Structure formats: C-alpha cells, structure tokens
Amino acid sequence: MDPIIKIDHVYYRYEKDIVLHDIDLTIPEGAFLAIVGPNGSGKSTLLKLLLGLLKLQNGNISLFGQDISKFKDWQQIGYVSQKANSFNTGFPATVFEVVASGLTKKIGMFKFFQKAHAEKVMSALASVGMTAFSNRNIGELSGGQQQRVFIARALVSDPRVLILDEPTVGVDAENVNSFYQMLNELNKKAGITLLLVTHDIGTISEKVSHVACLNKKLYFHGDINEFEQMRMEEMSKFYGHDVQLISHQHEHGGVLS
Ligand SMILES: Nc1ncnc2c1ncn2[C@@H]1O[C@H](COP(=O)(O)OP(=O)(O)O)[C@@H](O)[C@H]1O
Ligand SMILES: [Mg+2]
C-alpha cells in the first residue's frame, strides 16, 4: 500500500534562508505523528508544503501515491492552521455554521443545503465531543472548545488525514489531556491519519505512534518506542549511567549498589 504522505529530499528557502534541509519523511496510513522542534525550525513551512499552500522548490512530495503537482483530491486532507487559535471571538456565527462552512465545496455540487449535510455537521461535532454546543456562538467558547469546533470543520468533508499546527496553544492546561484523548479516538476509532505539530511531547507520548524531531534538518524520525529509547540514551549520556536500569531497580524496591 502507498504511504499516505511521502516526502523526499525536500529543501525550502525564504529568500536567502534555508529553513528546510534535505527532509525525507514517510507517513503510513493510520499513523499518529507528532512533529516537534523549537520555534522557527520549519514545522509550519513543512505542513504548508504538504498542503500545497507553498510551492515545492526542491525535492518531491507524494500524497496517496500521487505526485503533489498532480494531486487534486484536497478534501482528503483536513487542516487546522496555527492561526485558528487567534480567531476573532467577535465573529457572529454559531458552532453549527462554522462547521457547515467546511462543506462549501460539497454543497457547491448540490446547490443547496440538504438534510444529509446537517447530519454530517452533527456527526463531525459528535466526533469532537461538541454536540451540545451546536447552537452556541463560536465567540462564547473557550479556546479548547473553539479548537474542537475547527477540527470538526476540517472533519466534515470526511478527510483521511488531519493536519494540526500547534492545536493546544489556546487550550487550558487542565483540558490538554482530554483534547489529546479526543485526537486519539479520531485516530484509533475513525482511522484518521494524524499529523500534529506540538510542544507537548511529554503529555502526548502515550498517544502518538511516531515522532519526528525537526530543526531545519530532520534529526530523528521513528516510532514511539524508538523515540523513547533515544530519549533514554540521551538521558543516560547526560547523567553518566544507565537511567533505565535505575528506574527498573526502583520499581522493585531495589537499593542501588
Ligand atoms: N513568509 C515568510 N517569509 C520569510 N521568512 C519566513 C516566512 N515564514 C516563515 N519564515 C521564517 O522561516 C523560519 C521557519 O518558520 P516556520 O516554518 O513558521 O517555523 P515553526 O513553525 O517551526 O516555528 C523562521 O525563521 C521564520 O521566521
Ligand atoms: Mg509554526
């Protein structure tokens, strides 16, 4: 089976500054990939290239086995941008309307809003746990609730991939866990491939299947077990002994010799 996304030897520069250097990354269907890296490390640029929002300068990207220059089926890819969390809270629209606006392309084909569309909106809201809020004004909701609504808007056209750029920035600390739990369910139950830029790698490591560490170059890419192993090795280099062994002995109440 073709990987959902395949990135080969991708470089990108804004004027003189190279912000992506020789990136290779393959994302299989069903993955939940966290992309981590410091500010300015090229994370949003990489997502914009995947979404065709920036033009590829060097290298190749294929989506669903097709070269990105020929790819047309953008409804397969849902996207919530980093800007979504600075949404104008005075915007006069209900939650239902915001989610329904994600159907514009589909409705274009039918010319009018049908019962089936309303059902799609409600089912997208249900998948992010926001059914009860459908008639509320978007501006009255908390940052975390708004973010769920934007995810529902991205989900309403039934994409196979969902791309989220720092979705927890506006989410209160106590709601971050349930937010990730909701993403986990979209991945596990609905089978949606997820790509997420995040700083919460500690919180999220039990939920994701793969991690990519980006700082202009791709410093690491692997499944979550390889990532934990790498972190452990870095820690033991730092502390000068085997961290894994110590924590294991502690578990059994052992005394360090
Ligand atoms: N439109 C742009 N023009 C020029 N430089 C940009 C532009 N967008 C981003 N950059 C620069 O490219 C680098 C990577 O940006 P970005 O991909 O947004 O990083 P991240 O999302 O990891 O914080 C940063 O140094 C940023 O200032
Ligand atoms: Mg960014």
Side-chain angles (χ1 to χ4, degrees):
M1 196 172 61
D2 286 319
I4 278 216
I5 294 172
K6 193 162 187 300
I7 300 170
D8 284 312
H9 298 300
V10 163
Y11 289 75
Y12 195 81
R13 64 167 80 215
Y14 294 105
E15 284 136 30
K16 281 189 231 99
D17 302 330
I18 293 200
V19 297
L20 292 174
H21 186 93
D22 200 15
I23 308 296
D24 285 327
L25 188 60
T26 298
I27 303 166
E29 176 134 41
F32 186 167
L33 170 71
I35 301 174
V36 298
N39 286 333
S41 59
K43 305 181 297 297
S44 296
T45 302
L46 184 64
L47 298 190
K48 286 175 190 162
L49 285 168
L50 290 178
L51 291 156
L53 300 173
L54 290 174
K55 201 169 154 15
L56 204 54
Q57 298 168 338
N58 243 310
N60 292 298
I61 294 179
S62 67
L63 304 171
F64 303 95
Q66 197 174 31
D67 192 87
I68 194 168
S69 62
K70 301 197 184 74
F71 186 77
K72 298 248 159 39
D73 202 4
W74 291 104
Q75 286 198 43
Q76 298 281 1
I77 306 181
Y79 171 53
V80 180
S81 78
Q82 205 170 347
K83 283 201 202 89
N85 48 46
S86 54
F87 188 78
N88 174 6
T89 49
F91 192 73
T94 65
V95 164
F96 186 94
E97 287 165 342
V98 170
V99 177
S101 69
L103 277 171
T104 339
K105 264 195 195 150
K106 281 202 171 165
I107 292 170
M109 295 189 294
F110 301 105
K111 301 271 197 303
F112 54 89
F113 198 83
Q114 299 176 334
K115 193 170 162 236
H117 296 129
E119 281 165 9
K120 277 204 163 301
V121 170
M122 291 315 291
S123 125
L125 281 171
S127 65
V128 298
M130 290 294 288
T131 308
F133 295 82
S134 66
N135 293 323
R136 294 275 290 278
N137 196 294
I138 182 81
E140 297 166 14
L141 306 186
S142 73
Q145 291 169 334
Q146 286 185 357
Q147 196 61 275
R148 285 175 185 246
V149 173
F150 297 131
I151 291 173
R153 183 184 189 278
L155 288 174
V156 76
S157 58
D158 293 325
R160 280 161 69 190
V161 187
L162 184 59
I163 297 182
L164 306 170
D165 199 347
E166 301 198 26
T168 57
V169 166
V171 180
D172 294 331
E174 68 263 32
N175 295 323
V176 167
N177 247 319
S178 69
F179 184 84
Y180 282 131
Q181 188 54 41
M182 180 268 298
L183 292 183
N184 195 39
E185 282 169 23
L186 289 177
N187 177 243
K188 292 272 147 31
K189 292 193 189 147
I192 297 172
T193 304
L194 285 180
L195 237 82
L196 163 103
V197 167
T198 182
H199 291 289
D200 306 322
I201 191 60
T203 321
I204 208 180
S205 65
E206 291 150 31
K207 309 276 195 309
V208 301
S209 64
H210 295 77
V211 179
C213 303
L214 184 70
N215 193 359
K216 298 184 179 164
K217 291 183 206 167
L218 194 62
Y219 281 85
F220 173 84
H221 172 233
D223 71 32
I224 188 66
N225 296 324
E226 291 169 304
F227 178 72
E228 294 296 355
Q229 185 65 34
M230 187 234 358
R231 284 220 293 190
M232 217 45 108
E233 281 161 17
E234 290 300 311
M235 289 269 279
S236 54
K237 265 189 241 160
F238 183 63
Y239 287 104
H241 39 82
D242 192 338
V243 176
Q244 212 161 7
L245 182 64
I246 293 169
S247 61
H248 178 77
Q249 290 188 342
H250 273 179
E251 260 170 41
H252 295 272
V255 179
L256 292 175
S257 54

